[in-house]
């Protein structure tokens, strides 16, 4: 079944990235895919990067970490802290690369995942803020979130389900 306007959409201004997509899974399944080791199963592709070594202490104040593995073998650590958790509607977390990202360096940003139940599954909206002074990074992350949401749609569209 094709949904109207179900493709991932993303845009950025100089400070904030907004991205959204319809996901053919329940909010609980989508959140599990975003904040559990399921991240390693779908987030990335052989030609871009893969997420590995995901850990998360899923509570307010809890930390999360992941290693981004590039096709050329580099291992780039990232992580942050969970600021708000309202299961299964909303998670807010900080995010920082622990390496010198080309457009963002080690500047900390904030990602909010907002989930709304729909007839077909979940509308996932991502609000990624904290890019003031980093307009190039905001534009790059808008492209990245559209790609990530496409991967997430594919993960659920192929009949896989989060535990």
């Amino acid at each position: 079944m094709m949904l109207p306007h179900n493709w991932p959409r993303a845009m950025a201004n100089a400070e904030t990235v907004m991205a959204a997509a319809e996901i053919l899974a329940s909010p609980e399944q989508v959140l599990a895919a975003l904040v559990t080791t399921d991240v390693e199963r779908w987030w990335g592709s052989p030609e871009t990067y893969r997420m590995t070594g995901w850990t998360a202490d899923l509570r307010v104040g809890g930390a999360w970490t992941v290693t981004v593995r590039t096709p050329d073998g580099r291992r780039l650590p990232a992580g942050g802290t969970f600021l708000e958790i309202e299961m299964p509607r909303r998670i807010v977390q900080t995010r920082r690369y622990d390496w010198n990202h080309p457009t963002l360096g080690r500047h900390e940003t904030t990602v909010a995942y907002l989930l709304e139940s729909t007839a077909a599954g979940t509308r996932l909206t991502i609000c990624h803020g904290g890019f003031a002074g980093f307009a190039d990074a905001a534009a790059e992350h808008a492209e990245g979130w559209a790609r990530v949401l496409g991967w997430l749609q594919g993960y659920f569209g192929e009949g896989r389900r989060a535990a």
Side-chain angles (χ1 to χ4, degrees):
M1 169 175 132
M2 198 61 168
L3 298 170
H5 309 293
N6 68 339
W7 61 90
R9 300 176 303 283
M11 60 183 221
N13 62 25
E15 297 182 14
T16 305
V17 175
M18 295 291 291
E22 300 287 335
I23 310 294
L24 299 177
S26 71
E28 292 83 1
Q29 291 172 310
V30 174
L31 265 184
L34 291 167
V35 298
T36 71
T37 55
D38 283 356
V39 163
E40 298 179 38
R41 296 168 66 189
W42 67 268
W43 194 316
S45 68
E47 62 278 358
T48 57
Y49 59 84
R50 299 297 300 185
M51 297 296 206
T52 62
W54 173 267
T55 64
D57 180 6
L58 190 57
R59 61 179 177 79
V60 173
W64 67 273
T65 61
V66 72
T67 301
V68 179
R69 193 179 69 226
T70 63
D72 64 7
R74 288 179 296 151
R75 295 182 185 282
L76 308 171
T81 303
F82 292 105
L83 302 177
E84 298 176 39
I85 298 174
E86 186 183 329
M87 298 297 258
R89 291 187 53 248
R90 175 183 160 124
I91 290 187
V92 181
Q93 64 194 64
T94 63
R95 181 176 182 186
R96 190 184 83 232
Y97 300 108
D98 293 324
W99 53 284
N100 291 320
H101 185 278
T103 58
L104 196 58
R106 295 172 185 244
H107 179 71
E108 187 173 82
T109 57
T110 302
V111 177
Y113 296 115
L114 309 170
L115 298 96
E116 181 182 358
S117 211
T118 65
T122 302
R123 179 175 300 112
L124 173 61
T125 303
I126 297 167
C127 181
H128 190 170
F131 291 99
F134 297 91
D136 289 348
E140 176 188 331
H141 280 74
E143 291 176 16
W145 280 118
R147 186 172 48 247
V148 167
L149 288 171
W151 290 330
L152 185 60
Q153 285 178 323
Y155 176 65
F156 285 107
E158 293 170 10
R160 299 183 199 142
R161 291 293 178 262

